[in-house]
Amino acid sequence: MAAASPAGSVVVFGSLNVDSTSYVDRFPLPGETLASTGFATALGGKGTNQAVAAHRSGAVVRLVARVGADASGDFALASLTRLGLDVSSIAAVPDAPTGVAQITVDASGENTIVITAGANAALTPELVVDRHDDIAAADLVLTQGEVPAVTIERLAAACARFGTRFVLNLAPPVDVSRGALAECDPLVVNEHEARSVGIAPEGDGSADAWRAAAEAAVGRVARSVVITLGGAGAVGAGPGASVACAAPEVDAVDTTGAGDGFTGTLAAFLAGGAPLDEAVAAAVAAGALAVQRRGTTDSYATRDEILHAMEEPA
């Protein structure tokens, strides 16, 4: 049972941003100025979001990230400490600003995002070598497309060397070698990202069609594959098994970071020994809970909340 699964260890090599979010009734047209209905400054970055979600889902998490030597970096470290994460593997880069995400959320919960990498560019392949001991000791290593492609490839090689499970959320899509993709267990993508690596459904693009596409990608693209389908849920496939998990109907207020909540939860459950179908179900439940709250990291559910949601009828 999921509740009895041990707490696995997850090392996240990931981006760290400070999000500046404006809430609007609708998105502005080109050249138009609109007044917002609200504003918030919060912790963000796909790597950091996923690390927080994995932590709240019960994993023991080490986040390897970089910030600038600035007020935003201080804010980020204080926010992570408040959330209970270890910040000992986060260093300040003296000649770069902390990464920034400028986000706009409309009344339907949809968003637009502009990212400035800043100190995140310092996540170099050499840093992977420095963290070989952490990688070897972890149950799972997680990274994202906001990390430089050469660093992703070095991480994949290190995980293969040490026998550590490697999970890549290819968001946004970056040009990663086929060899690195082949090590992913799983490769986590949305529909657009799936097509960017040659995974596409036949016919109507239904959940069943995407499930078949995931099955066909096992061993051809990656060791296992999970594809998120937005409000329709997610599908996944590994050697000899596949899953399609529908999402519950909820009133979404903010979709920002929901995919990261999904991926971090997925990683935590896999690191704890859950099979792929159970981990996908937990991740879908976590994503549905996240969209019902504003913000990113503060919207992520606890493990108990996720397990309770999994028990509720869809």
Side-chain angles (χ1 to χ4, degrees), residues 3 68 96 120 152 266 286:
N120 292 309
I152 295 171
L266 179 81

Side-chain angles (χ1 to χ4, degrees), residues 37-106:
T37 58
F39 178 80
T41 299
L43 192 65
K46 298 190 78 62
T48 299
N49 291 346
Q50 292 173 16
V52 172
H55 168 71
R56 290 181 66 80
S57 299
V60 177
V61 177
R62 179 178 294 276
L63 172 61
V64 181
R66 292 294 179 262
V67 295
D70 53 21
S72 292
D74 294 341
F75 170 83
L77 293 173
S79 297
L80 285 167
T81 300
R82 172 179 61 82
L83 290 165
L85 270 81
D86 180 357
V87 298
S88 62
S89 297
I90 304 172
V93 180
D95 56 352
T98 300
V100 175
Q102 296 165 293
I103 304 170
T104 305
V105 180
D106 74 3

Side-chain angles (χ1 to χ4, degrees), residues 24-36 104:
V24 295
D25 290 329
R26 61 175 178 82
F27 295 128
L29 300 172
E32 183 182 20
T33 299
L34 293 179
S36 73
T104 305

Side-chain angles (χ1 to χ4, degrees), residues 7-294:
S9 59
V10 176
V11 173
V12 180
F13 280 75
S15 53
L16 190 158
N17 295 330
V18 171
D19 293 348
S20 295
T21 303
S22 294
Y23 296 92
V24 295
D25 290 329
R26 61 175 178 82
F27 295 128
L29 300 172
E32 183 182 20
T33 299
L34 293 179
S36 73
T37 58
F39 178 80
T41 299
L43 192 65
K46 298 190 78 62
T48 299
N49 291 346
Q50 292 173 16
V52 172
H55 168 71
R56 290 181 66 80
S57 299
V60 177
V61 177
R62 179 178 294 276
L63 172 61
V64 181
R66 292 294 179 262
V67 295
D70 53 21
S72 292
D74 294 341
F75 170 83
L77 293 173
S79 297
L80 285 167
T81 300
R82 172 179 61 82
L83 290 165
L85 270 81
D86 180 357
V87 298
S88 62
S89 297
I90 304 172
V93 180
D95 56 352
T98 300
V100 175
Q102 296 165 293
I103 304 170
T104 305
V105 180
D106 74 3
S108 72
E110 291 299 322
N111 62 70
T112 64
I113 305 174
V114 177
I115 292 174
T116 302
N120 292 309
L123 291 170
T124 62
E126 290 72 25
L127 186 58
V128 176
V129 177
D130 293 341
R131 294 292 172 175
H132 272 181
D133 288 348
D134 292 335
I135 294 168
D139 292 308
L140 183 151
V141 168
L142 170 63
T143 194
Q144 316 77 31
E146 289 182 349
V147 172
V150 290
T151 304
I152 295 171
E153 291 167 357
R154 186 68 63 87
L155 274 171
C159 288
R161 174 183 173 184
F162 296 116
T164 302
R165 189 169 194 163
F166 177 61
V167 179
L168 169 62
N169 177 211
L170 196 64
V174 291
D175 189 13
V176 178
S177 71
R178 286 289 171 178
L181 292 178
E183 294 296 334
C184 296
D185 188 19
L187 172 67
V188 184
V189 287
N190 64 19
E191 296 164 76
H192 168 68
E193 294 151 3
R195 288 188 169 93
S196 76
V197 293
I199 304 173
E202 295 182 359
D204 58 1
S206 65
D208 286 341
W210 276 111
R211 181 177 185 169
E215 291 171 345
V218 174
R220 176 178 66 86
V221 177
R223 293 186 179 185
S224 60
V225 176
V226 171
I227 304 170
T228 60
L229 306 175
V235 300
S242 65
V243 59
C245 185
E249 291 187 12
V250 298
D251 293 325
V253 298
D254 188 353
T255 60
T256 309
D260 295 333
F262 175 100
T263 302
T265 301
L266 179 81
F269 275 73
L270 291 174
L276 185 64
D277 59 344
E278 183 180 292
V280 170
V284 168
L289 290 168
V291 300
Q292 297 177 69
R293 305 165 183 170
R294 279 190 167 185

